Amino acid sequence: MKLSLNWVKHFTEVEIGGDELIQKIGSQLGAIEDVQDWGSYYDEKIVIAKITSAKDHEDADKLGVYNIDIGGGQSRQLVAGDKSLEVGDKVGYIPPGVAVPLSVYEGEPFVIGERDLRGITSQGMLGSAKELLFSDNHKNVLKLDTDKEVGSALVDAYELDDLIIDIENKMFTHRPDLFGILGLAREVAGIQGIEFSSPDWYSEDVDFAKVDNKLPLEVTNEIPELCPRFTAVALSNITIKPSPLIMQSYLNRVGLRPINNVVDITNYYMYLTSQPAHAFDYDKVVKLSGEKPNLVVRKPRKDEKIKLLDGREIAPHSEAAMVATDLNLLSVGGSIGGADSEVDDDTKTVILEVASWNLYSIRRTSFKHGIFTDAVARFNKGQSDRQNLPVLKLMMDQFVNNCDAKQASDIFDLKKTAEAKDIVIELSSDFVNSRLGSNYSAQDIAKTLNNVELNAVIEKSVIKVTVPFWRTDLELREDIVEEVGRLNGYDLLPQSVPLRPSQPNFRSDKLQLKSEIKRILASAGANEVVTYNFVSSAMFAKLGYQADQIERAYHLRNSLSPDLEYMRMSLLPSIVEKVNPNMRTGHKQFALFEVNKSHNKDYLDDVGLPKELDSLAMVVVSNDSHQDSSFFATKRQLEYLAVKLGKHFSYHKFEQNNDRLAQTSGLMFATSRRAVVKIDDQAVGYIGEFSSRVKKQFKLPEFSAGFEIDLNHLFPEAIAYKQISKFPVSNQDLTLSVPNNLGYAQLSEKLGRLFNEAQDIDVVYEPISIFRSKLKENRHISFHLIFQSPTRTLKTTEVNDLISRVVKTLEQKDIKQV
Amino acid sequence: MKYIFEPIQNLANEIRDAMNAIDDPSVLLKSPELKQLYQMIPKQSDNQKKEFGSQVNALKAEIVSLVENHQNQQEEAELSSIDITAPFDENCTAQDNQLLTADRGSLHPLSQELDRVLKIFEAMGFGAIESRQLDDDYHMFGSLNFPDDHPARDDFDTFITDEGLIAPAHTSTMQNRVLLANRDKLKNGGNVQVVVPGRCFRNEDVDARHEHTLHQVEGVMVGEGITVGHLIGTLKTFLEAFYGQKLEVRTQPAYFPFVEPGFEFSMSCPFCSKVGCKVCSNEGWIEILGCGMIHPNVLKEAKIDPDKYTGFAWGFGLDRLVMMQYNVDDIRWFHSGKIEFLEQFK
């Protein structure tokens, strides 16, 4: 919303300088996007001049040669591409050495020079409306409509020494009144601590004259729920012409294009009051009506269409609020006019509409049909219907003054509710102070509010605020607190940290777990990545997902591109995607991991929302050759994590099941090289070397494996401390020949059980090596054993006996000492 | 798949049979019969030409995929099965097999900074829970005083699933839950004090400055007598601890439906002491977060009496904090997964 400071000054004093005001507006009204120093576009030397003689150029068809009076007894000779100027016309003269205002505005100053045009010297330039920043008109030299004397600066004649302060629209989503200069002026007064009074015409007490010569017109409203108030009047005897230049200039400054006196009035006073209005060509409405000329506010009928002012033709949705005749649609109510009833150069009679529309209905229609006009921007904030009549009266008076119009109908005023009631909000100074941390008296508060016409009176220490009709946003006491804090300046409030009971407070267990896991894996040499939740159907295709698997992924109805149309069901594929780009930039061996969430339609929580499925996934890859396979390199990372978290994982043959990870990441592994990871009997995740398909599709090296584990099973276990024995340890190595069908874990479990059968001796063992014998029927597995007793020094014979006993038992299972 | 043209179907049958019988099925792709089928295409009648051609192509595609599957199966069959319960491979010793080179490891800068942020807030008495990545309209909008069809929703370009679920555009999607879960603390004279870090999503195209996936830190404090002065004081205290220096702060009024009043919050630039630098675009000030006093309707929705209790909430972007901290010039690095970026944050 562009605020013209000079326009604001029509309604309030501004006592502080531009920079200070801009700072104050920014901190007390809303964030500023841009400030334009409008006066800086006009050099002081651009003056008002008068044509003293006019003739055609003898050697050029389209050029006129003029002498002009530029004041101070001086005259100049000008050649202009416009032969229509007459002696006595006032024009804007740009002398040599001065830049054209339009070019300064556009940031590439074009300086006028004295030049020869077909043999005649032109001592400067006469500006067009476009060049002088009044409108888009570039056909003719602009004829000025000022009474100021010849030789005075143009900038002074049209209040051009202005600041245009552009405030972000989203600051005013809740403030319908601030989409008008009048509302902005009220706030500018308020933040300066100055009392503001609305002009007399901005009052609900409006009188209209009755007219005798009435044009035939009926107005009805079939949808008061979408159009709570519809006011209109017919105006005849109109002469279409350009608006006064001062009006054109203000419109142009705030970004509205001047068109003609009729359209400009509706725009100018909309910009002043924030109340949009629309003018229909009466004679066109008559032709579009049935027997009697009429306006009907109604919904569109089936298959009805309308040509819009922006050139499009639409079939409005069935719930749209339209202005129509009994036979044809005329405009989309509160949004955009129709081309068939548009005011044009031949218009003689208009119907002026000043209405109110339901903001939700306006927004729905705006989104359905892509209509984003200045009217929509105002109506969808909820304008008060109590300003319809004063604004209708104001505009009508301008039609009489600027277009020579005559009132040609009574005032139509169709409204839903009988009488509007003022909202009264009662609060105490305590209520305000306890929310702001301030120390304002009731009198301070009342004065602040009264400055912006929020009528506040104090009755027995209660502040009673009668909300004026234009503030449709004020309902609650908290809304009044905002006004008081903002108008006085929040940054002046005393700042402190709130007192609180000194109880400890921590992040959730899950956040702690995530941060701990990340730290552990990074300390083991892996790199943490974060990847998108969004994945593509191409990714699912690469993974070989079938239709029923894809069904389980949430699909976005408004994704940015097909690359981002699904919510992922597991993390591993997103990480696998990051491998090849890193290989290409020369990284030969690395591990990437992510701790994040995924979603799956089969997993809902108690209230039916998708569960937030937390997991940890890792990929380990290498381009180098390795002693062992990638499965074990990856497993070691997982085992390192297990040790740090005090967890015990076991690894089992992969079996297909309905588990979400088995159905997604689990399918990425080679069938001979994958395992289910379990804690006790609970499957918690999957680990494996990637299948040939995945390796090919994602361009992974041969040595590549990964895992994905459900995070909920990784909460760390408490440390179980064991008393440390004072007695010496005894070390032994043991190599066993083990049949191939016996897994390492089974062997290890047996060893543990057998050794711990011994009373009073603790045995710790760890693997040293695994070798396959030449016969290939057995493996040789070596362990390092540490024996210690908590109560005595162990004898060597005792240890050897224990080993023998264990070996003997193992022999029954075909396990032999080597 | 069945082919309607006899010669195509015949070849399909032959090839399917041959697939498992020969050692290298990729030769099937070069079979003269397939070539003949291609040569037959132009000889078909006009109304059959298109259909015949597309069926030949379909057969070719089938062969390609059969060959690929066959190769994959073969390759996997060549992989010896392993003892998945073992600590390392056969013919290896414990010494052969180390973890990765430990000094290569790194924590993502977003994780590192989040940790620092949470530590400061923990010290200030705030708990923390994580935000959701998929939520419903009620939590994203309804519980936060956004009526249906309200224009304030236009400021949030959210991703929506076919079911109408929302990938939240702000961590405030957790506010109602946080208030409900902690309101009991108020009875004993305590406060609700929680920060909510999490991922957010904005429906906008990605470039050096814009991302559709962002990280936010939300904060909520509710209690008796909590004021705007406390809001400003608390955020100033946090920012000074985070940047390790005294800062000036200032507010601008802003509109968010879930607060009243609402603010944009700025701090004096911690990188140049307000002199003006690249980070603050020579302004001396940096707009760092949005905040405000929690709207009474939001408190009511969480069964907290707004006459007795007041509170404030804020939200800031973690990505931007990290970018400013390390002078990262392109937001796309965060999700790039590139090691040259990651390994700088060890």
Side-chain angles (χ1 to χ4, degrees):
Chain A
M1 179 67 196
K2 288 183 173 172
L3 178 158
S4 151
L5 187 56
N6 282 352
W7 202 348
V8 160
K9 282 179 181 166
H10 293 182
F11 303 98
T12 181
E13 302 281 306
V14 175
E15 293 175 343
I16 52 180
D19 287 348
E20 197 187 341
L21 182 74
I22 289 164
Q23 203 275 326
K24 233 173 149 46
I25 287 176
S27 66
Q28 288 176 265
L29 197 51
I32 292 171
E33 252 174 11
D34 188 33
V35 177
Q36 288 174 302
D37 182 353
W38 199 262
S40 72
Y41 306 142
Y42 299 91
D43 193 293
E44 291 267 314
K45 296 194 199 90
I46 301 174
V47 295
I48 298 163
K50 193 189 240 170
I51 309 287
T52 52
S53 78
K55 60 176 185 184
D56 292 350
H57 195 300
E58 285 171 5
D59 294 328
D61 284 352
K62 291 179 177 166
L63 299 179
V65 181
Y66 303 99
N67 279 311
I68 58 169
D69 175 3
I70 61 164
Q74 298 190 63
S75 64
R76 294 285 184 273
Q77 175 179 273
L78 270 297
V79 181
D82 180 354
K83 301 207 295 193
S84 69
L85 298 174
E86 291 169 10
V87 171
D89 284 346
K90 280 182 173 172
V91 290
Y93 169 60
I94 309 172
V98 169
V100 176
L102 175 70
S103 67
V104 184
Y105 170 82
E106 286 173 347
E108 290 170 9
F110 174 70
V111 178
I112 295 295
E114 200 171 280
R115 53 181 186 143
D116 185 271
L117 287 161
R118 300 259 172 128
I120 299 178
T121 303
S122 184
Q123 300 174 294
M125 182 175 150
L126 303 179
S128 70
K130 188 173 181 183
E131 285 158 341
L132 296 174
L133 297 174
F134 280 83
S135 74
D136 277 357
N137 193 338
H138 196 43
K139 268 193 238 149
N140 300 96
V141 168
L142 177 67
K143 292 182 193 175
L144 303 178
D145 58 0
T146 175
D147 293 337
K148 286 253 180 180
E149 60 189 70
V150 168
S152 48
L154 181 73
V155 72
D156 297 330
Y158 293 100
E159 304 173 8
L160 295 169
D161 191 9
D162 199 357
L163 278 184
I164 308 298
I165 303 169
D166 193 358
I167 306 171
E168 284 179 26
N169 271 4
K170 69 172 184 188
M171 297 292 157
F172 298 152
T173 306
H174 62 315
R175 287 294 300 271
D177 60 318
L178 296 189
F179 283 84
I181 291 289
L182 187 61
L184 292 172
R186 195 179 286 115
E187 293 296 313
V188 169
I191 61 179
Q192 296 179 90
I194 298 175
E195 203 177 317
F196 186 85
S197 295
S198 289
D200 293 341
W201 51 259
Y202 198 63
S203 148
E204 290 178 273
D205 302 325
V206 211
D207 287 328
F208 290 95
K210 289 264 173 199
V211 283
D212 298 329
N213 292 328
K214 281 185 235 172
L215 290 170
L217 180 64
E218 275 180 14
V219 182
T220 49
N221 181 359
E222 294 177 1
I223 44 170
E225 69 284 4
L226 301 186
C227 176
R229 192 167 192 173
F230 190 89
T231 71
V233 66
L235 297 153
S236 63
N237 193 41
I238 289 191
T239 317
I240 299 286
K241 58 185 178 188
S243 304
L245 286 179
I246 183 91
M247 184 186 263
Q248 291 191 41
S249 171
Y250 273 117
L251 287 172
N252 206 34
R253 279 177 233 183
V254 298
L256 293 169
R257 197 163 62 92
I259 294 169
N260 60 42
N261 50 353
V262 169
V263 178
D264 290 357
I265 285 172
T266 57
N267 280 337
Y268 184 89
Y269 292 98
M270 169 189 76
Y271 210 86
L272 174 58
T273 62
S274 74
Q275 169 66 48
H278 185 68
F280 301 92
D281 183 314
Y282 174 83
D283 296 312
K284 294 179 183 173
V285 172
V286 172
K287 283 189 195 133
L288 294 166
S289 300
E291 277 173 35
K292 291 178 187 167
N294 66 88
L295 289 189
V296 193
V297 185
R298 61 170 170 87
K299 293 178 186 173
R301 298 183 191 118
K302 204 165 174 288
D303 299 330
E304 254 186 327
K305 287 187 178 154
I306 178 170
K307 227 184 268 160
L308 304 178
L309 283 180
D310 63 12
R312 291 185 298 156
E313 188 179 44
I314 62 164
H317 71 102
S318 61
E319 290 300 305
M322 307 295 294
V323 180
T325 66
D326 50 348
L327 299 180
N328 289 290
L329 298 177
L330 297 176
S331 72
V332 185
S335 304
I336 191 167
D340 293 340
S341 55
E342 181 181 7
V343 170
D344 60 31
D345 289 352
D346 301 324
T347 299
K348 296 280 178 287
T349 308
V350 300
I351 305 166
L352 175 64
E353 165 210 321
V354 178
S356 287
W357 305 91
N358 176 291
L359 73 101
Y360 299 107
S361 158
I362 288 282
R363 182 174 178 273
R364 274 193 293 270
T365 301
S366 146
F367 271 74
K368 276 243 160 68
H369 299 297
I371 302 169
F372 302 98
T373 57
D374 291 305
V376 167
R378 286 168 175 76
F379 279 129
N380 73 13
K381 310 300 182 291
Q383 296 295 333
S384 168
D385 63 7
R386 291 162 70 181
Q387 67 184 2
N388 291 6
L389 285 182
V391 172
L392 184 77
K393 172 83 162 95
L394 174 71
M395 289 188 182
M396 221 174 93
D397 291 348
Q398 298 307 314
F399 273 93
V400 173
N401 294 338
N402 282 347
C403 317
D404 317 316
K406 289 197 170 73
Q407 185 179 342
S409 76
D410 287 332
I411 304 299
F412 296 94
D413 181 10
L414 289 67
K415 61 177 170 175
K416 190 177 159 193
T417 45
E419 276 318 309
K421 253 179 84 182
D422 286 331
I423 291 177
V424 178
I425 301 172
E426 295 184 7
L427 73 172
S428 63
S429 55
D430 270 0
F431 188 89
V432 174
N433 290 326
S434 70
R435 275 151 183 84
L436 292 178
S438 54
N439 197 16
Y440 297 125
S441 69
Q443 285 73 21
D444 294 338
I445 293 168
K447 173 156 192 335
T448 301
L449 296 171
N450 281 320
N451 281 346
V452 291
E453 302 183 288
L454 299 176
N455 309 306
V457 291
I458 303 168
E459 285 173 13
K460 294 180 192 153
S461 80
V462 174
I463 307 165
K464 270 177 100 168
V465 184
T466 307
V467 177
F469 67 80
W470 58 84
R471 291 300 302 269
T472 54
D473 59 310
L474 298 181
E475 285 173 22
L476 306 173
R477 289 176 295 175
E478 284 80 359
D479 297 331
I480 302 297
V481 173
E482 195 265 354
E483 296 295 314
V484 176
R486 187 174 53 78
L487 291 168
N488 286 299
Y490 289 114
D491 293 337
L492 301 177
L493 294 174
Q495 298 167 3
S496 64
V497 180
L499 290 175
R500 62 179 178 92
S502 61
Q503 279 157 349
N505 216 345
F506 300 104
R507 67 186 86 176
S508 68
D509 292 347
K510 174 128 345 138
L511 275 169
Q512 279 185 51
L513 174 65
K514 286 188 171 185
S515 138
E516 193 172 346
I517 287 175
K518 290 174 188 177
R519 242 181 304 114
I520 292 168
L521 292 175
S523 74
N527 303 106
E528 189 203 352
V529 295
V530 295
T531 59
Y532 294 144
N533 294 60
F534 309 123
V535 294
S536 61
S537 52
M539 152 93 83
F540 288 161
K542 279 180 173 184
L543 293 166
Y545 285 3
Q546 303 300 311
D548 62 325
Q549 275 168 293
I550 297 172
E551 267 295 287
R552 294 178 195 173
Y554 286 99
H555 179 260
L556 296 178
R557 69 159 89 120
N558 60 342
S559 61
L560 283 166
S561 79
D563 284 349
L564 306 164
E565 66 180 316
Y566 288 100
M567 300 287 284
R568 63 178 164 188
M569 293 186 282
S570 66
L571 307 182
L572 201 51
S574 312
I575 306 172
V576 162
E577 255 192 341
K578 301 296 185 192
V579 170
N580 185 260
N582 278 309
M583 288 268 160
R584 283 207 312 259
T585 48
H587 297 277
K588 290 180 134 185
Q589 183 183 343
F590 54 87
L592 303 178
F593 74 96
E594 179 167 10
V595 178
N596 220 318
K597 298 169 194 275
S598 42
H599 301 86
N600 183 316
K601 286 185 199 167
D602 289 347
Y603 292 78
L604 301 177
D605 66 15
D606 315 339
V607 293
L609 280 177
K611 267 193 182 161
E612 301 259 308
L613 304 163
D614 288 291
S615 53
L616 156 69
M618 183 185 254
V619 175
V620 179
V621 295
S622 176
N623 254 345
D624 299 330
S625 61
H626 289 268
Q627 194 78 30
D628 66 353
S629 49
S630 59
F631 180 90
F632 293 105
T634 307
K635 185 179 172 186
R636 272 194 296 282
Q637 298 292 317
L638 186 54
E639 282 297 297
Y640 176 77
L641 180 69
V643 168
K644 290 287 185 180
L645 295 174
K647 309 299 282 191
H648 180 76
F649 294 140
S650 59
Y651 298 81
H652 305 265
K653 195 169 152 20
F654 185 95
E655 274 162 8
Q656 196 44 261
N657 61 48
N658 280 330
D659 183 70
R660 66 163 179 113
L661 290 177
Q663 290 283 329
T664 54
S665 295
L667 297 179
M668 297 170 76
F669 304 126
T671 47
S672 57
R673 298 280 174 107
R674 61 183 176 177
V676 188
V677 182
K678 290 186 176 177
I679 295 177
D680 298 327
D681 280 336
Q682 170 81 49
V684 300
Y686 301 85
I687 182 169
E689 293 183 15
F690 293 113
S691 67
S692 306
R693 179 196 182 93
V694 168
K695 281 182 192 164
K696 270 182 206 145
Q697 295 285 359
F698 294 91
K699 300 192 176 70
L700 304 181
E702 266 312 300
F703 188 97
S704 56
F707 62 76
E708 182 155 356
I709 308 285
D710 185 334
L711 205 77
N712 284 320
H713 298 287
L714 296 184
F715 286 98
E717 302 295 331
I719 289 169
Y721 181 76
K722 214 175 84 191
Q723 297 305 323
I724 298 165
S725 167
K726 295 180 189 69
F727 300 95
V729 298
S730 170
N731 291 288
Q732 289 273 358
D733 283 354
L734 172 68
T735 298
L736 297 168
S737 168
V738 184
N740 278 342
N741 61 7
L742 187 73
Y744 172 88
Q746 286 167 289
L747 172 69
S748 169
E749 188 263 335
K750 274 194 216 316
L751 274 185
R753 192 156 30 77
L754 293 172
F755 277 121
N756 283 316
E757 277 170 8
Q759 297 281 317
D760 214 19
I761 304 178
D762 294 329
V763 187
V764 178
Y765 58 94
E766 48 194 38
I768 303 172
S769 64
I770 303 173
F771 285 100
R772 190 182 285 274
S773 73
K774 284 179 190 140
L775 292 171
K776 288 199 164 188
E777 281 164 6
N778 299 316
R779 289 181 296 168
H780 287 181
I781 303 180
S782 304
F783 294 95
H784 182 63
L785 308 168
I786 304 165
F787 300 84
Q788 190 178 27
S789 166
T791 55
R792 62 206 156 84
T793 302
L794 292 173
K795 292 178 207 130
T796 312
T797 51
E798 204 178 355
V799 169
N800 288 340
D801 284 352
L802 175 57
I803 293 175
S804 303
R805 274 208 313 277
V806 168
V807 167
K808 206 159 188 179
T809 317
L810 288 175
E811 276 172 0
Q812 297 165 8
K813 301 272 174 194
D814 231 11
I815 301 166
K816 297 186 183 88
Q817 186 173 8
V818 179
Chain B
M1 168 156 189
K2 254 186 128 49
Y3 299 92
I4 48 174
F5 298 96
E6 212 182 301
I8 304 179
Q9 181 63 42
N10 288 345
L11 184 58
N13 292 342
E14 274 176 46
I15 284 181
R16 285 168 194 164
D17 291 341
M19 190 61 65
N20 294 314
I22 55 176
D23 282 344
D24 181 8
S26 68
V27 296
L28 294 172
L29 279 169
K30 295 172 192 141
S31 79
E33 290 89 344
L34 186 62
K35 206 178 262 173
Q36 277 169 20
L37 285 180
Y38 275 101
Q39 285 159 357
M40 283 163 71
I41 299 174
K43 292 171 192 154
Q44 302 299 310
S45 64
D46 276 354
N47 55 352
Q48 282 195 6
K49 208 177 276 174
K50 205 176 150 206
E51 182 68 20
F52 192 88
S54 76
Q55 293 241 316
V56 177
N57 280 328
L59 176 63
K60 170 96 181 278
E62 185 188 332
I63 302 173
V64 169
S65 112
L66 283 173
V67 167
E68 192 184 317
N69 275 341
H70 190 272
Q71 283 172 342
N72 288 347
Q73 277 167 17
Q74 261 188 341
E75 279 168 30
E76 286 187 17
E78 281 164 18
L79 281 174
S80 56
S81 73
I82 50 173
D83 180 359
I84 52 174
T85 68
F88 39 79
D89 229 341
E90 286 168 359
N91 304 329
C92 285
T93 69
Q95 278 82 27
D96 293 337
N97 300 297
Q98 304 299 323
L99 281 171
L100 297 157
T101 319
D103 63 5
R104 291 268 183 84
S106 62
L107 277 179
H108 198 283
L110 289 168
S111 296
Q112 292 195 24
E113 292 310 291
L114 177 62
D115 221 32
R116 221 152 69 77
V117 166
L118 292 184
K119 273 180 187 149
I120 296 170
F121 280 119
E122 281 174 324
M124 291 172 72
F126 286 83
I129 62 150
E130 210 179 6
S131 184
R132 288 182 65 93
Q133 295 181 0
L134 199 52
D135 211 345
D136 57 8
D137 186 272
Y138 172 75
H139 288 95
M140 173 68 202
F141 289 121
S143 68
L144 294 172
N145 197 35
F146 286 83
D148 286 349
D149 285 316
H150 194 274
R153 290 175 173 230
D154 302 348
D155 294 333
F156 297 82
D157 292 327
T158 51
F159 289 111
I160 301 173
T161 71
D162 294 343
E163 296 79 9
L165 295 165
I166 295 176
H170 56 190
T171 40
S172 306
T173 202
M174 296 301 287
Q175 204 170 104
N176 180 260
R177 292 186 183 91
V178 165
L179 293 176
L180 279 173
N182 290 280
R183 55 192 276 271
D184 281 350
K185 292 183 181 162
L186 296 171
K187 281 187 214 145
N188 313 321
N191 298 322
V192 178
Q193 273 185 279
V194 184
V195 291
V196 185
R199 259 191 172 189
C200 303
F201 308 92
R202 303 271 162 89
N203 198 337
E204 63 183 13
D205 287 318
V206 176
D207 62 27
R209 295 266 135 203
H210 299 91
E211 248 293 356
H212 52 68
T213 298
L214 294 158
H215 299 80
Q216 248 187 20
V217 180
E218 168 103 354
V220 180
M221 174 152 195
V222 178
E224 261 183 272
I226 300 292
T227 68
V228 175
H230 292 144
L231 162 62
I232 299 173
T234 300
L235 292 172
K236 185 170 187 257
T237 303
F238 163 72
L239 290 169
E240 289 184 340
F242 186 79
Y243 287 107
Q245 57 182 288
K246 287 270 161 209
L247 295 169
E248 290 172 53
V249 298
R250 67 184 192 192
T251 61
Q252 281 192 317
Y255 173 69
F256 314 104
F258 40 109
V259 287
E260 179 69 308
F263 311 99
E264 301 272 14
F265 194 91
S266 302
M267 62 178 177
S268 55
C269 179
F271 304 100
C272 66
S273 308
K274 255 178 99 183
V275 178
C277 66
K278 206 179 144 202
V279 181
C280 62
S281 312
N282 284 311
E283 301 265 329
W285 290 88
I286 296 176
E287 204 176 288
I288 191 80
L289 53 83
C291 58
M293 299 299 287
I294 299 175
H295 196 284
N297 291 350
V298 175
L299 291 175
K300 270 187 227 160
E301 195 65 25
K303 303 185 176 67
I304 293 174
D305 178 3
D307 286 336
K308 190 155 183 216
Y309 302 103
T310 51
F312 56 81
W314 76 86
F316 61 80
L318 193 61
D319 313 73
R320 187 152 160 264
L321 220 59
V322 177
M323 290 179 83
M324 292 196 305
Q325 187 75 10
Y326 299 102
N327 208 0
V328 176
D329 62 349
D330 193 325
I331 196 167
R332 287 171 292 199
W333 281 117
F334 288 146
H335 288 90
S336 68
K338 296 302 285 285
I339 293 173
E340 51 266 45
F341 173 74
L342 300 170
E343 67 186 357
Q344 297 191 51
F345 301 94
K346 281 179 173 155

